[in-house]
Amino acid sequence: MFPLPDTKNYVSWRTWGCRWRSSDIFILSSMSMALFTDEMLFAFMVPLLPHIFENRLGLDTSLTQRLTSIFLVEGALISIASSPFIGNLADRASSKKVLLLVLLILTLISVLCLSITTSLIWLFLGRFFQCIVSNALFIVGMATMAENIGSEHMGKIAGLTSTLVSAGTCSGPVIAGFLFGIGGYWTAWAGAAMFLVMDIIMRLLMIEKPQKRRDTARQSHNRSLCPDAHEHLSDTEPLLDADRSSATEEINGWRFYICLFRQSRFTAGIVSYFVFALFIASFESTIPMHVRYAFGWGVFPVGVLFASIQGPGMILAPLVGMLKDRVGSRVPTTIGFISIAPFLWVLGVAGDERYPWATLGTRGKIIYCVCTTMIGCFMCLLMGVGTMEATRTVDELETLHPGIFGPYGGYSRVVAITNMSWMSGLLVGPILAGLIVERFGYLNLQCVLAVTSLLASVNAAINLNSASPQKDEYDSDFGTDEP
C-alpha cells in the first residue's frame, strides 16, 4: 500500500501567504509581468533575424528583408485566425491559473526550439507555434485580470495593458540587442528564458479569486442541468416550474458572437478599436517614406516621430483608464476621434507644395512634428475602448441572464474578438495606406483617415455608454471608496 499524501501540509502550503498571493496588487503584478514578457518576446527576435538568416541558416543576404517581412506578417495572421478558438477554449477552463502555467511552459519550449533551429522551415514552424501560444497568453491574461479584479476597473486595466504592450514592444529589440552585444547569440536567448522562468514562479504563487458573477453563473448553470433535484418535494412544484421557466439557456458557438454583435455598445467598441489600430498601422507604413521625400529625414528623425506618437500613450494611458472607469468610454472616445481629425488633415498638408503656408522654410517640419505629438496625446483617449465595452457587455448580459455564457463566463471569447479587431486593423492599415498613397498621394490618405475619424466619433457618441453600471453596482455594495 502506498502512503496517503500529507494533505495537512499541502493545505498549509496552499494557504501560506493567501492574503498577498490573492491580492489585487499581486495579481496585477503577475499578469503585468506576463503581458510584458509576451510582447517583449514577440518583438525580441527582430534584431536577431539577420544573424539567424545569414549566419545560422546560411541564406543569401538579399533574402533577409523579404524573409523578415514574412516572419512578422505571419504573427498577425496567426493571431487573427487562432483568437476565436483560444477564447472558446479559455472560457471552458475552470482555472485560468493552470492554463496560464501550461501556456508559459509552452512558450519556454517554443523559445528553446527557435533558438536551436538551423532550418528555415523549422524556424517558421516554430514561429507559428510561438504566435499561437503568445496570442493565447495575451487573451487569457486579460481575461484573468477582468475576472479577478473586476470589469468595473477595466479602464485602469486597459490603460496599464497599453503601457505594458508599448514597453514590451519597444524594449524587446533593445534587450535582445544589448544581450547579443555583451554575450552573443546564446546569452540573448538565455535572457528571454529567464523572463519566462520568473513568470512561471509568479503564476505558481498566484491564487485566483474570481468575481461573484462566476459563482452565480455556475449555480444557475447547475440548476439548469439538474432541474429534478426538488421533484421529491410536493410543496415546491410551483417554485420548480418558475425555476424552469426562468432558466437561461447557455449560448455557445456562433450564437455567442451573434448575441454580442447585436449589442450596439459592443459593436461600436470593436469598430472603434479597429479604427484605432488602422491609424497606428497607417502611420507606421507611410511616415518613414513620406518624411524622407518631403523633408529629407533619415532613421533618427523617424524614430523621434514614432516616439512622439507612442510616448504619450505610455505616460497618459493609466490616467485615461481611471477617467474612463468614472465617466465611461463614450465621451473620451468621441473627443479623441474628433480631436484627431483636424491634425490628420494638417499632417498631410505639412510639406505639400500646394500649401506654401505649411511648407516655407522649416515651418513644414515644425508643423509635422507638432501634429504627430498632438495625435499621440489624443489617441490616448482611444486606448482600451474595445476591451472595456466587450467585458462590460458580458457583465450586463450575465446580470440580466445569469449563466447565459456558461459556468465560467465569456471574458476570454470577447477579449479574443477585440484582439482580432486590433490585429485586423494592423493588417488592413498598411494595405489601405499603400494603395491610396500610391494612386492619390499622401494628403488624400490623410483626408480619408480624417473622415474615418469623424465617422468613428459619430459611432462612439451614439452607441457607446457614458457611465459604468458595474462601477455603480460596486459602489453600492462596498461603498464609494476606490480600492
Side-chain angles (χ1 to χ4, degrees):
M1 296 294 291
F2 292 101
L4 294 175
D6 189 354
T7 56
K8 181 178 179 180
N9 290 338
Y10 172 77
V11 172
S12 63
W13 179 87
R14 174 78 176 173
T15 56
W16 169 78
C18 180
R19 181 182 298 273
W20 65 266
R21 290 168 59 193
S22 63
S23 65
D24 290 353
I25 294 177
F26 186 77
I27 292 176
L28 277 177
S29 300
S30 182
M31 292 298 98
S32 298
M33 184 67 183
L35 293 178
F36 172 81
T37 304
D38 177 49
E39 296 299 325
M40 186 270 292
L41 290 177
F42 205 76
F44 186 83
M45 290 189 67
V46 173
L48 301 179
L49 286 176
H51 176 83
I52 293 174
F53 287 137
E54 297 168 13
N55 297 332
R56 291 187 59 80
L57 304 185
L59 301 176
D60 190 82
T61 307
S62 60
L63 298 175
T64 300
Q65 180 60 56
R66 184 186 307 174
L67 291 174
T68 300
S69 300
I70 296 173
F71 191 86
L72 297 176
V73 170
E74 181 186 10
L77 291 175
I78 292 173
S79 297
I80 294 174
S82 63
S83 289
F85 304 100
I86 293 170
N88 187 63
L89 175 64
D91 275 338
R92 293 180 181 275
S94 58
S95 174
K96 296 291 192 297
K97 177 181 177 179
V98 176
L99 186 56
L100 282 166
L101 281 172
V102 173
L103 291 172
L104 285 168
I105 293 173
L106 291 176
T107 303
L108 183 59
I109 293 174
S110 68
V111 165
L112 294 176
C113 292
L114 285 171
S115 65
I116 64 176
T117 184
T118 55
S119 168
L120 184 62
I121 295 177
W122 283 105
L123 179 68
F124 280 99
L125 188 62
R127 178 66 168 180
F128 174 82
F129 286 107
Q130 185 204 24
C131 291
I132 291 179
V133 175
S134 175
N135 192 35
L137 198 60
F138 180 84
I139 292 172
V140 176
M142 288 293 294
T144 300
M145 286 194 288
E147 288 185 354
N148 288 271
I149 306 301
S151 65
E152 68 274 3
H153 303 295
M154 205 61 208
K156 290 186 281 291
I157 293 173
L160 175 64
T161 303
S162 299
T163 301
L164 292 170
V165 168
S166 300
T169 303
C170 295
S171 63
V174 176
I175 294 174
F178 174 75
L179 293 176
F180 184 84
I182 63 174
Y185 181 78
W186 295 109
T187 301
W189 283 111
M194 287 301 300
F195 275 97
L196 288 169
V197 171
M198 291 174 58
D199 278 329
I200 292 173
I201 293 173
M202 294 184 72
R203 220 67 65 249
L204 287 170
L205 291 174
M206 189 186 78
I207 297 178
E208 289 183 297
K209 57 176 192 62
Q211 295 290 294
K212 293 180 180 179
R213 179 193 59 77
R214 283 179 55 179
D215 297 332
T216 303
R218 187 183 296 109
Q219 293 171 4
S220 176
H221 183 69
N222 292 336
R223 286 199 304 268
S224 65
L225 291 178
C226 305
D228 298 329
H230 304 289
E231 283 187 353
H232 64 285
L233 299 176
S234 58
D235 58 344
T236 59
E237 287 295 332
L239 179 60
L240 176 61
D241 293 337
D243 286 342
R244 283 175 173 172
S245 62
S246 62
T248 302
E249 180 184 0
E250 182 180 341
I251 295 179
N252 286 315
W254 289 107
R255 295 174 58 208
F256 172 84
Y257 301 103
I258 294 174
C259 173
L260 285 176
F261 278 103
R262 290 176 62 184
Q263 313 300 316
S264 59
R265 68 177 299 182
F266 176 82
T267 305
I270 293 299
V271 171
S272 298
Y273 215 42
F274 171 83
V275 174
F276 181 21
L278 182 74
F279 289 166
I280 295 289
S282 299
F283 295 151
E284 291 179 347
S285 61
T286 58
I287 285 179
M289 293 297 296
H290 174 71
V291 297
R292 186 175 69 176
Y293 171 77
F295 308 125
W297 285 349
V299 176
F300 180 73
V302 170
V304 173
L305 287 176
F306 281 122
S308 69
I309 295 175
Q310 297 179 358
M314 297 179 64
I315 300 173
L316 300 177
L319 299 177
V320 173
M322 296 175 63
L323 173 66
K324 287 188 174 183
D325 281 337
R326 290 184 174 276
V327 304
S329 58
R330 174 190 290 176
V331 175
T333 304
T334 303
I335 293 176
F337 278 124
I338 292 177
S339 302
I340 288 172
F343 290 105
L344 288 171
W345 178 77
V346 177
L347 202 66
V349 170
D352 193 314
E353 295 179 354
R354 292 172 293 181
Y355 300 88
W357 59 271
T359 308
L360 295 176
T362 60
R363 190 180 301 174
K365 299 178 181 179
I366 296 174
I367 292 175
Y368 200 89
C369 292
V370 171
C371 286
T372 56
T373 304
M374 295 305 298
I375 289 173
C377 292
F378 284 115
M379 278 204 306
C380 297
L381 298 174
L382 310 180
M383 290 181 172
V385 58
T387 309
M388 285 183 60
E389 295 304 315
T391 54
R392 288 175 177 174
T393 300
V394 168
D395 280 350
E396 284 187 356
L397 293 175
E398 283 279 1
T399 300
L400 294 174
H401 310 285
I404 190 173
F405 298 137
Y408 307 118
Y411 279 147
S412 297
R413 281 173 285 180
V414 296
V415 171
I417 297 174
T418 59
N419 189 50
M420 287 179 65
S421 69
W422 178 263
M423 299 306 297
S424 298
L426 294 182
L427 275 181
V428 173
I431 298 174
L432 177 67
L435 290 175
I436 295 178
V437 169
E438 184 178 347
R439 292 195 174 190
F440 306 104
Y442 186 76
L443 175 59
N444 289 319
L445 168 65
Q446 298 308 118
C447 290
V448 170
L449 295 180
V451 172
T452 302
S453 186
L454 292 175
L455 293 175
S457 70
V458 175
N459 169 59
I462 295 175
N463 295 313
L464 296 183
N465 279 19
S466 57
S468 171
Q470 284 74 24
K471 183 179 187 304
D472 296 339
E473 181 181 352
Y474 181 88
D475 290 344
S476 64
D477 291 339
F478 301 102
T480 57
D481 292 334
E482 291 290 337

